[in-house]
Amino acid sequence: MQLWLLWLLSIGADAARLQGRLQGSSVRARLAPEMPSQCSQCSATSDDSCSSVLGSCSCCRDVLKAEAQTACSGFLKFGKGDCVENIRAAIREKKENCKAKQAEEAATKAARHQVIEDVVGQDLFKLVAQSDASLYAPRRFNNACQTFQTASCNALCGATDGCNAQLALAEHILLLVSSWKELHEKLPCFR
């Protein structure tokens, strides 16, 4: 436990030394993280202030939340409150609606499933189920937070309520929703 604490303190000291050495474009490069493709319009200004970087973060968070909300809007009738649960309910409904058709074609079902697997290159259902655990979005403004120090820029760097954390959560939710929506769209219903 004490070694862990010493390690954390040494990282803080290293970060403080690094902050003192950074100037000009190297600071700007560090403060402008790679953004999700949906956030291309959310670039930071030439101003390297916390409020400028916070504006970029807030813009991206809002874009991702809006995109997730748009993706979820087609599944509101399921009334689960949670978008992913609504999409899962839509998948269950779609599967139930397909049972009669699938029963008629039981002899060809295995062959058609194999065709889908061959086209995709792997089992589509396993791929999406495994994606839940691998879609965690990065905290894109961690470098900026190290530069500004958490206490001086809490609106950006707060552990749970800062824009950096909220952006990561919004991106994670969008990736999760998109994966489940894609599964719903590609779910075969044999005719």
Side-chain angles (χ1 to χ4, degrees):
M1 180 75 169
Q2 290 176 342
L3 286 174
W4 185 76
L5 184 59
L6 288 173
W7 178 75
L8 280 176
L9 290 173
S10 70
I11 288 176
D14 290 343
R17 279 192 294 271
L18 271 175
Q19 180 182 0
R21 290 187 211 143
L22 294 175
Q23 294 180 7
S25 64
S26 64
V27 171
R28 187 168 294 112
R30 190 174 164 169
L31 299 180
E34 181 180 339
M35 300 289 269
S37 60
Q38 299 91 335
C39 298
S40 59
Q41 74 273 22
C42 298
S43 61
T45 65
S46 60
D47 179 11
D48 291 333
S49 68
C50 176
S51 61
S52 171
V53 176
L54 175 60
S56 179
C57 179
S58 298
C59 172
C60 188
R61 177 198 60 211
D62 294 345
V63 166
L64 295 180
K65 282 184 173 183
E67 191 162 325
Q69 187 173 12
T70 299
C72 293
S73 65
F75 300 96
L76 295 175
K77 72 177 187 175
F78 294 95
K80 303 284 186 198
D82 177 68
C83 180
V84 172
E85 283 304 312
N86 285 343
I87 295 172
R88 288 178 178 169
I91 290 170
R92 286 190 295 276
E93 180 183 89
K94 190 171 185 178
K95 284 181 179 180
E96 289 173 16
N97 292 338
C98 292
K99 280 184 182 178
K101 292 178 185 179
Q102 291 173 346
E104 294 172 10
E105 298 184 12
T108 58
K109 181 179 178 184
R112 290 183 178 179
H113 192 270
Q114 186 60 49
V115 169
I116 291 171
E117 243 182 65
D118 292 344
V119 169
V120 175
Q122 54 191 326
D123 188 340
L124 179 64
F125 302 100
K126 284 183 183 175
L127 177 67
V128 173
Q130 291 170 349
S131 72
D132 277 356
S134 63
L135 293 176
Y136 290 105
R139 291 195 178 208
R140 297 184 180 275
F141 288 87
N142 276 352
N143 286 339
C145 288
Q146 288 174 356
T147 299
F148 291 126
Q149 309 255 336
T150 303
S152 67
C153 192
N154 200 42
L156 175 67
C157 305
T160 57
D161 60 343
C163 186
N164 191 29
Q166 292 171 358
L167 171 62
L169 179 61
E171 184 177 2
H172 171 73
I173 289 170
L174 176 61
L175 291 170
L176 195 59
V177 165
S178 298
S179 293
W180 280 101
K181 184 177 178 191
E182 182 180 0
L183 175 61
H184 177 262
E185 291 167 356
K186 292 183 179 181
L187 186 70
C189 184
F190 305 111
R191 298 176 193 165

